[in-house]
Amino acid sequence: MKKAFITKEKAEEIAKQFPTPFYVYDEKGMRDNAEAVKKAFSWNPGFREYFAVKANPNPFILDILKEYDCGTDCSSLIELQISHALDFDGTHIMFSSNDTPFEEYEYACKIGAIINLDDITHIDFCEKACGGKLPETMSCRFNPGGVFTLSNGIMDNPGDAKYGMTREQIAEAYKIMMSKGVKHFGIHAFLASNTVTNEYYGKLAGQLFELAVELKKETGADIKFINLSGGVGIAYRPDQTPNDIAVIGENVRKVYEEILVPAGMDDISIYTEMGRFMMAPYGAVVTRAIHEKHIYKEYIGVDACAANLMRPAIYGAYHHITVLGKEDAATDHKYDVTGSLCENCDKFAIDRDLPEIEMGDLLFIHDAGAHGYSMGYNYNGRLHCAEILLREDGSFKKIRRAETPMDYYATFDEFPVYEKLKAEN
Ligand SMILES: *Cc1c(COP(=O)(O)O)cnc(C)c1O
């Protein structure tokens, strides 16, 4: 059973100040989880989680994670600038980008971020952006090609993915960079997304640890860290068993001791770049039922839409829904829960068994804390909603205001129409 982290009364209290829809975040949940992640890898003295900023770039959230010594994983200028402005120092910023614009390497260099190169051809490009001298520590992203499978049937196709370098290229890249004065190296790979199995990190770590041993033999490079990246999933569906981060940490420790320790490489730091696992369960969209429609199917129209939470529309992703105040009611009605976009994919749920929904009911859309707000967009002139942080003591705080029409029109500001629109608002 999935339980909402907020009651109907609390949601109504928030809605009085901040009209629906809004995002709400569970501060205690995210803190407990960040602590559990730290503990799971405490066997590795250099361990650090670099939170994937793209999953949730809210500065208040990044600041909370910072208290647990998390760094940030960035792949754009904006993400780098937010991290820098929040006083993450260079060693706490991982720049794992791809198809990277010149000025983004320039900026990453300037703030001393750890640069994780996506391709061998980026060495010269990055060197120029860094003013002719590469940083002393560099990382390379690995793509083993082929197919990556786990025993529960999860499968991903690194061979079809645009990311990373081949085995041969990484060895070559290390040699080139050593000749250019780079002293310390990292290896990074992201092979499967949203893996709901404790097996993923251990299996990936095994591959990367073996690669590290070989690369060290072959190139003499000083390998300082191995970055297992993201991909640790969460149980979006109520019938799934959530990952256990303690078991995951232990699985990585086992292969570390099997592969790295005997090779004399027992000072390597483990890094992670989890986004989803750090935040998804601790954020939700709260939205109100505003219409019901009875045609060939039963529809409930809510005041949020795919522009607020895109995953169901683009991936057909399942997000559990709780009708607040009806947690214990029988789920004896079948609905499609829709937003207002002029796109038929704008459905938060299809043929979902839910309690009978009355107009005005509040729906809690679970697991939207990662790749939720941050994927939002302005299609159909829909605006981003507010983000609210719910504290353990029940108090709440706005951590991002809702967009206004003037935010949407801001980029019209050089044109006469802007003044007219301003007068409307
Ligand atoms: C998206 C991404 C992550 C985070 O992935 P999750 O599935 O949210 O854990 C980490 N690293 C890189 C390079 C990414 O692109």
Side-chain angles (χ1 to χ4, degrees):
M1 245 263 299
K2 281 178 96 78
K3 215 172 155 295
F5 57 73
I6 190 171
T7 60
K8 176 183 161 88
E9 291 68 35
K10 183 58 67 180
E12 288 290 7
E13 189 187 336
I14 297 175
K16 275 204 193 89
Q17 253 178 286
F18 307 103
T20 54
F22 54 80
Y23 270 83
V24 61
Y25 298 102
D26 169 17
E27 179 172 356
K28 172 154 169 51
M30 60 184 280
R31 283 183 181 275
D32 289 350
N33 183 63
E35 191 65 49
V37 168
K38 223 177 138 187
K39 189 156 165 256
F41 287 91
S42 57
W43 55 267
N44 183 254
F47 172 77
R48 178 165 297 138
E49 150 70 6
Y50 290 81
F51 175 65
V53 178
K54 75 164 191 266
N56 193 325
N58 189 293
F60 290 85
I61 284 171
L62 298 179
D63 242 359
I64 291 172
L65 292 175
K66 194 165 176 228
E67 288 178 39
Y68 301 83
D69 193 41
C70 289
T72 63
D73 158 44
C74 304
S75 67
S76 70
L77 182 68
I78 296 279
E79 293 173 358
L80 288 170
Q81 286 185 343
I82 295 173
S83 305
H84 185 57
L86 289 172
D87 294 325
F88 285 93
D89 66 30
T91 61
H92 285 74
I93 303 175
M94 184 69 58
F95 188 43
S96 291
S97 60
N98 70 94
D99 189 22
T100 315
F102 190 82
E103 41 315 336
E104 300 195 356
Y105 276 138
E106 249 176 351
Y107 187 79
C109 242
K110 193 180 90 182
I111 64 172
I114 304 169
I115 296 177
N116 180 30
L117 289 183
D118 184 62
D119 192 55
I120 191 166
T121 62
H122 287 216
I123 298 174
D124 289 340
F125 188 84
C126 183
E127 186 182 34
K128 285 197 192 86
C130 293
K133 175 133 183 56
L134 287 171
E136 281 199 353
T137 301
M138 293 289 289
S139 174
C140 289
R141 185 166 181 164
F142 175 52
N143 182 335
V147 180
F148 182 83
T149 40
L150 294 167
S151 58
N152 68 352
I154 289 182
M155 216 181 84
D156 234 307
N157 262 317
D160 280 340
K162 66 172 177 170
Y163 309 107
M165 311 185 198
T166 67
R167 166 75 181 73
E168 295 69 32
Q169 286 173 332
I170 289 214
E172 185 63 22
Y174 272 22
K175 286 184 203 157
I176 297 171
M177 288 194 276
M178 285 166 81
S179 75
K180 290 177 182 289
V182 176
K183 295 199 171 63
H184 314 294
F185 291 88
I187 304 174
H188 169 280
F190 189 154
L191 301 189
S193 199
N194 190 26
T195 54
V196 191
T197 159
N198 294 328
E199 192 192 341
Y200 172 60
Y201 261 3
K203 181 153 185 201
L204 169 66
Q207 289 195 9
L208 295 184
F209 294 169
E210 274 164 15
L211 176 65
V213 173
E214 290 169 22
L215 284 173
K216 178 159 184 178
K217 273 204 195 107
E218 218 171 299
T219 67
D222 174 34
I223 298 170
K224 279 275 188 252
F225 64 85
I226 288 172
N227 184 342
L228 302 175
S229 187
V232 178
I234 63 137
Y236 285 99
R237 291 176 181 272
D239 58 355
Q240 285 175 307
T241 308
N243 282 329
D244 182 340
I245 197 66
V247 173
I248 292 175
E250 196 51 26
N251 287 346
V252 176
R253 188 183 65 78
K254 275 188 212 130
V255 278
Y256 193 97
E257 281 173 5
E258 272 166 34
I259 301 169
L260 290 180
V261 174
M265 297 169 75
D266 57 358
D267 57 349
I268 289 189
S269 299
I270 301 300
Y271 293 166
T272 56
E273 290 175 345
M274 293 180 281
R276 195 184 313 274
F277 188 79
M278 299 303 288
M279 273 309 296
Y282 315 111
V285 175
V286 175
T287 181
R288 203 178 286 283
I290 57 172
H291 289 290
E292 58 190 311
K293 176 164 179 166
H294 320 278
I295 48 169
Y296 310 102
K297 297 179 84 172
E298 294 297 303
Y299 293 94
I300 294 294
V302 296
D303 58 7
C305 67
N308 302 111
L309 175 65
M310 190 185 201
R311 299 185 70 258
I314 57 167
Y315 307 129
Y318 180 94
H319 278 262
H320 198 65
I321 293 176
T322 297
V323 183
L324 293 177
K326 297 184 176 172
E327 287 81 355
D328 300 322
T331 55
D332 52 4
H333 284 64
K334 207 184 268 303
Y335 295 114
D336 282 16
V337 178
T338 78
S340 60
L341 295 188
C342 304
E343 292 286 337
N344 195 40
C345 65
D346 185 12
K347 294 181 178 176
F348 291 114
I350 296 173
D351 296 330
R352 185 76 58 89
D353 293 326
L354 289 166
E356 181 171 16
I357 295 175
E358 288 152 282
M359 295 304 91
D361 277 353
L362 289 177
L363 277 62
F364 179 97
I365 307 178
H366 291 248
D367 300 321
H371 313 290
Y373 184 100
S374 60
M375 269 194 187
Y377 56 113
N378 285 128
Y379 188 56
N380 257 182
R382 292 292 162 197
L383 304 175
H384 286 265
C385 63
E387 291 182 290
I388 310 295
L389 183 69
L390 179 65
R391 301 204 188 88
E392 190 178 359
D393 66 4
S395 64
F396 53 89
K397 177 189 168 68
K398 172 178 67 180
I399 54 173
R400 195 162 179 165
R401 67 165 173 83
E403 275 183 332
T404 65
M406 288 319 290
D407 291 321
Y408 187 97
Y409 304 139
T411 44
F412 296 163
D413 60 349
E414 301 156 67
F415 305 103
V417 67
Y418 183 77
E419 293 307 323
K420 278 201 184 167
L421 290 165
K422 207 167 152 189
E424 295 274 339
N425 285 281

